[in-house]
Amino acid sequence: TNIIGAPAQPEPPALAALDGGVALTWPVDSAAAAYVISFRPVASNAYGPFRFVSGAQAGQVAITDLDPSVSYGVSLAALTEDE
């Protein structure tokens, strides 16, 4: 938990290539109600759609709608029930 009571910034997820996507794994914070994940094409300033994952489903997620010819930056943030 950080100074304002929100879950701490998660560790960077481990990434593994899948056919047509990527698998993300990360340690889950018990204080997190959910996580938000974003993949931003490196060559763009625009973010793609945010993906919300419940705390119960967090820790190991497959994203299957990414373009394999595009390099992405990934962002991961923990949320509380109030966010």
Side-chain angles (χ1 to χ4, degrees):
T1 306
N2 65 25
I3 195 166
I4 62 170
Q9 175 67 34
E11 294 293 322
L15 305 172
L18 300 174
D19 187 27
V22 64
L24 292 86
T25 56
W26 69 93
V28 176
D29 184 334
S30 62
Y35 288 83
V36 62
I37 305 167
S38 176
F39 286 85
R40 181 185 57 80
V42 172
S44 172
N45 290 329
Y47 282 86
F50 289 94
R51 294 161 170 92
F52 293 90
V53 178
S54 73
Q57 298 172 326
Q60 187 169 4
V61 175
I63 306 295
T64 58
D65 61 348
L66 299 174
D67 182 343
S69 68
V70 175
S71 294
Y72 295 91
V74 66
S75 298
L76 176 67
L79 304 172
T80 65
E81 290 185 16
D82 297 327
E83 296 176 296

